[in-house]
């Protein structure tokens, strides 16, 4: 069924005038229960044409163009919020007297349908959602960083951070780990500490008499003995043992 085979009428609702689509050859419900299809963001009633055709034998379907989409003009009060769309669809169902309906919603239309069903359950027989734009509970950890970037002022704050400094890099790593973008340190490595390198660190761990200096345990390295002297009195390098 193409868009040319649908008839379009307009219905005035609070704050807007909605374009309502239905198959042109259907004159009435003929005993079928009414259905209403609500499209998603950037879409129109034409998105539902194929599904309405498949369900035509069991559902007397109509599809609306939300305010500002398809053949519907923008709302007179400029309210394009989710609540504004819900208000318009409720106004249509009340004006047409078709409720309760089998309500279908996709993407933004899914969010509109859920809100409508919660506010006016008397207008809904069944609720069918296709990829609705709803929050995921619990949210994915991989999506936290994207959500944080939506906080007012945070992108500008991140741009002012000195990215070249170690403190800023460490803060970025911590934020990435909290957002799930970097793995946490494995539990088996959390208790490990850096060990001093052999060589000069081992010499500093001992006094002139060869006895270990007092200090943190585990700092003294293997005893290499007193350092031999050359005739010039300068210390000679260690020989390999």
């Amino acid at each position: 069924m193409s868009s040319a085979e649908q008839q379009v009428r307009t219905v005035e609702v609070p704050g807007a005038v909605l374009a309502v689509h239905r198959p042109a050859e259907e004159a009435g419900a003929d005993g079928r229960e009414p259905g209403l299809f609500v499209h998603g963001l950037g879409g129109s009633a034409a998105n539902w044409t194929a599904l309405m055709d498949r369900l035509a034998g069991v559902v007397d379907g109509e599809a609306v163009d939300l305010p500002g989409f398809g053949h519907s003009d923008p709302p007179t009060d400029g309210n394009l919020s989710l609540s504004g769309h819900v208000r318009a669809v409720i106004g249509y169902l009340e004006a047409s007297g078709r409720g309760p309906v089998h309500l279908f919603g996709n993407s933004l239309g899914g969010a509109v349908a859920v809100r409508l069903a919660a506010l006016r359950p008397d207008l809904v027989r069944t609720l069918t959602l296709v990829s609705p734009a709803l929050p995921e509970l619990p949210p994915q950890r991989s999506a936290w960083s994207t959500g944080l970037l939506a906080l007012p002022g945070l992108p500008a704050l991140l741009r002012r951070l000195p990215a070249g400094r170690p403190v800023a890099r460490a803060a970025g790593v911590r934020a990435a780990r909290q957002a799930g973008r970097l793995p946490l340190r494995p539990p088996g490595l959390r208790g490990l500490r850096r060990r001093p390198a052999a060589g000069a660190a081992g010499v500093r761990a001992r006094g002139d008499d060869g006895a270990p200096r007092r200090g943190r345990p585990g700092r003294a390295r293997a005893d290499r003995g007193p350092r031999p002297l050359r005739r010039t009195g300068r210390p000679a390098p260690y020989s390999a043992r």
Side-chain angles (χ1 to χ4, degrees):
M1 184 189 316
S2 65
S3 58
E5 297 174 304
Q6 292 208 356
Q7 60 182 4
V8 182
R9 74 180 191 278
T10 57
V11 178
E12 187 173 353
V13 299
V17 177
L18 294 184
V20 182
H21 301 243
R22 66 175 296 114
E25 66 274 11
E26 295 182 4
D30 298 329
R32 296 169 298 161
E33 295 180 340
L36 183 65
F37 298 78
V38 186
H39 64 81
L41 182 65
S44 70
N47 299 141
W48 295 107
T49 301
L51 183 58
M52 290 173 64
D53 187 32
R54 295 287 299 271
L55 299 178
V58 291
V59 174
D60 177 27
E62 291 186 343
V64 297
D65 285 329
L66 292 174
F69 297 90
H71 293 281
S72 294
D73 292 331
T76 56
D77 57 0
N79 188 355
L80 290 170
S81 67
L82 178 63
S83 297
H85 292 315
V86 173
R87 177 190 63 178
V89 178
I90 289 178
Y92 163 69
L93 290 176
E94 290 179 339
S96 63
R98 285 172 52 85
V101 297
H102 296 288
L103 188 58
F104 299 79
N106 165 241
S107 187
L108 170 63
V112 171
V114 169
R115 180 77 69 87
L116 190 155
L119 294 176
R120 294 291 304 273
D122 57 301
L123 296 177
V124 180
R125 293 175 185 264
T126 62
L127 182 61
T128 302
L129 305 176
V130 182
S131 299
L134 297 175
E136 188 173 3
L137 298 175
Q140 296 183 14
R141 293 185 61 186
S142 59
W144 291 359
S145 57
T146 304
L148 290 175
L149 289 176
L151 293 177
L154 183 59
L157 176 62
L158 293 178
R159 283 194 296 268
R160 294 203 304 266
L161 288 178
R165 294 185 180 180
V167 174
R169 289 198 299 268
V173 170
R174 287 196 298 270
R177 282 177 175 163
Q178 292 174 0
R181 298 177 62 183
L182 289 179
L184 299 177
R185 186 180 301 175
L189 299 180
R190 292 176 183 173
L192 298 182
R193 295 181 178 179
R194 290 184 176 179
R195 302 291 185 181
V203 174
R204 286 195 299 270
R206 293 186 171 274
D208 295 336
D209 57 355
R213 290 180 178 178
R214 297 180 180 274
R216 295 173 59 183
R219 285 292 186 179
R221 315 301 285 179
D223 186 8
R224 297 180 181 273
R227 306 178 72 176
L229 300 179
R230 294 180 179 178
R231 291 182 180 180
T232 59
R234 296 179 178 177
Y238 292 117
S239 59
R241 294 185 179 181

